Every structure is written in structure tokens, then in C-alpha cells.
Amino acid sequence: MYNDYHKCSKCHQCHSCHQCNPCQCQKCNPCPPICLILPHGATSATGSTGITGATGTTGATGATGATGATGAGATGATGATGATGATGATGATGATGATGVTGATGATGDTGAAGLAGATGATGATGATGAGATGATGATGATGATGDTGATGATGATGAAVALGGLQIQLVGEVGSIAPGAPVIFDAIVNDLSTVIAYDIATGTVTISATGVYYVNWWLAADGIAGDGTATVPTFAIATSTAGTFLSSSPIGSGQFSGNALIFVAAVPVTFQLVSAIDSTTFLGVLPVRADLTILNVSV
């Protein structure tokens, strides 16, 4: 059996025989029992080279050995830059980038020549009324010149005739007092300017014979009251037949006091008298005129 052996080229510790695989040690692979490796004898003299034998069949490829440990040698120098490769195909267009910051406004250019006036556009709809406060009233403008006098208008229809009528009567006789509830008998007619007002000098009664509004004014010169009743101040009244009673009093027992009445006559006739309205006798002053009564009416 050919049992020549040599150092293993992988582990450098074991030997390998040519009969088996290049290395069959425990580090690599155990040698099969068919190969016997004998201990070394003395090295004999080198014999002559024999005839080269026929090339044997190629053995099966052995299993790949484990990767050896990385060597600790220094990194070699950087090689020269290779030639530039051919330009690659154009890549797909990338997404649009974000909008950049707006640049500063440029200087205003020169004003261009005025263009031709365009046609007037249609009037827009009236806008809503604003909600702002009303502005202050402007100053009054200067007065304009007086306009020409307008033409005279047509003469209006003649209005109804208006007449003021009435009656004035007085007490001038020697009457010294008025009894309680008694009328004042005026004994003188001063003016009778009405056809619808009449006076009865015997009873002191005034009669109104036309509808309308009548104003009565009177005065009387009192000279105190007697103690025959409970009254303390003089009081007289215009007592009408249908239009009510109009009282007047005076806090002064002696002196002139007056009264009035506005009588509305809706139906005729209406009569009235000036009467004492207390339960005591009223004395009259000794004067040329001791009482006066006037009644007025405006007729159309």
C-alpha cells in the first residue's frame, strides 16, 4: 500500500495520504480505516525518477472547507479610479417640491399710457344699506335767490258771514240786599245786540232761542252777609233751565266779586238767572252800579 504522506495544506498539523483525500485528520475529516499511515523510517536515497504513470481519474470534489479566520494584514492601497460608466437611464420625475417663499415686491414700473375708454357697463344691483351710524348733519347751505312770484290763485268762495251778538244788563236802582235763593233783578238794559237773546226785566230771566255756545260774564258789589243763615261768604250762581248751574264765591265779604259760565245750548229755549246760592241775606254796596251781566254769542 502506498503510504507516503505530507503535511496537510489546511491545518498544517496533520498529514494526509495520497490514498485518501488530501486531509483526513481530526481537524478536517478522519482518515478511513482502509488507509494505514505508518511511522516514519529513515529517509532513503532518492531513487531515479520512474516512468510517469497514466493519469488517474479525477477524484470527486471534496466538501468545501470551513471559512478561515480573517487575516490581520494591513489594508492595501486604494486602487486607481476606474473609467466613468455609461450614463444611466433618466429616472422617474420626482414629486413637486413645496412652494418657495414669496420674493420681495419689485419696484413700481412707469405708468403706462391711458387706454381707450371702455363701454359703460350695465348698472349693478343696488347694494344692501350699510349698518354704520348716520353721519353728522352738514352745515346749512347759503339761502338761494328768491324765486319769481307765482301766478295769483283763483279767488275762493265767499265764507259764511260771522256776527258777534249779545246782551248787557245792569243793576243801578236802590236795591240794598239780595234775599237767600232770590234772583238779581237787573233793572237796566245797556246793550241789546241779539235777536236770539231776550231779557225779562220783571223776573230777571234771560231766554236763549237759538242753539249754539253762549258765554256769560258777571260781577256784583257785595257789602257783607247777614247773620240770618249759616253761610259765611257770599256765593252766587248762573242757574239754567237745562244746562246746569255755574257757582262762584268770594272769600271777601265786602267788595266786588265775579263769575262766568259757558253755556252750550243743544235744544231751545234755555233760560237762566243770576241767583243767591246761600241761606243768608247778601248786602249790596251803595254804588251807582251794583251788579252787571253780559252774555255773548257768535253766529254764522
Side-chain angles (χ1 to χ4, degrees):
M1 177 180 295
Y2 183 79
N3 58 1
D4 193 10
Y5 58 87
H6 304 277
K7 285 285 185 180
C8 176
S9 61
K10 290 184 179 181
C11 61
H12 302 287
Q13 293 181 4
C14 303
H15 294 83
S16 62
C17 67
H18 294 290
Q19 184 70 26
C20 305
N21 288 326
C23 182
Q24 297 293 330
C25 65
Q26 294 297 324
K27 267 297 210 184
C28 300
N29 290 302
C31 186
I34 62 171
C35 179
L36 177 64
I37 301 176
L38 297 177
H40 288 280
T43 303
S44 61
T46 303
S48 58
T49 302
I51 299 170
T52 301
T55 301
T57 59
T58 301
T61 301
T64 302
T67 302
T70 303
T75 303
T78 302
T81 303
T84 302
T87 302
T90 302
T93 302
T96 303
T99 303
V101 178
T102 303
T105 303
T108 303
D110 296 333
T111 303
L116 298 175
T120 302
T123 302
T126 302
T129 302
T134 302
T137 302
T140 302
T143 303
T146 303
D148 296 332
T149 302
T152 302
T155 302
T158 302
V162 176
L164 176 64
L167 174 73
Q168 181 181 10
I169 50 180
Q170 292 181 340
L171 173 59
V172 295
E174 298 293 328
V175 178
S177 63
I178 305 297
V184 177
I185 306 298
F186 295 94
D187 55 8
I189 297 176
V190 178
N191 279 304
D192 185 359
L193 303 176
S194 175
T195 60
V196 297
I197 303 173
Y199 176 64
D200 185 347
I201 201 169
T203 62
T205 301
V206 177
T207 301
I208 300 173
S209 59
T211 58
V213 178
Y214 295 81
Y215 177 72
V216 180
N217 184 71
W218 60 267
W219 60 265
L220 184 142
D223 192 20
I225 57 175
D228 53 349
T230 60
T232 58
V233 295
T235 299
F236 282 76
I238 296 292
T240 71
S241 57
T242 59
T245 300
F246 304 87
L247 293 170
S248 181
S249 299
S250 173
I252 302 173
S254 295
Q256 186 183 91
F257 77 100
S258 61
N260 51 53
L262 188 63
I263 303 173
F264 173 63
V265 177
V268 294
V270 171
T271 62
F272 70 86
Q273 293 176 313
L274 177 63
V275 299
S276 172
I278 57 176
D279 61 355
S280 301
T281 300
T282 302
F283 297 112
L284 301 179
V286 180
L287 298 170
V289 180
R290 304 182 183 192
D292 182 277
L293 184 147
T294 300
I295 177 171
L296 300 174
N297 168 250
V298 175
S299 61
V300 178

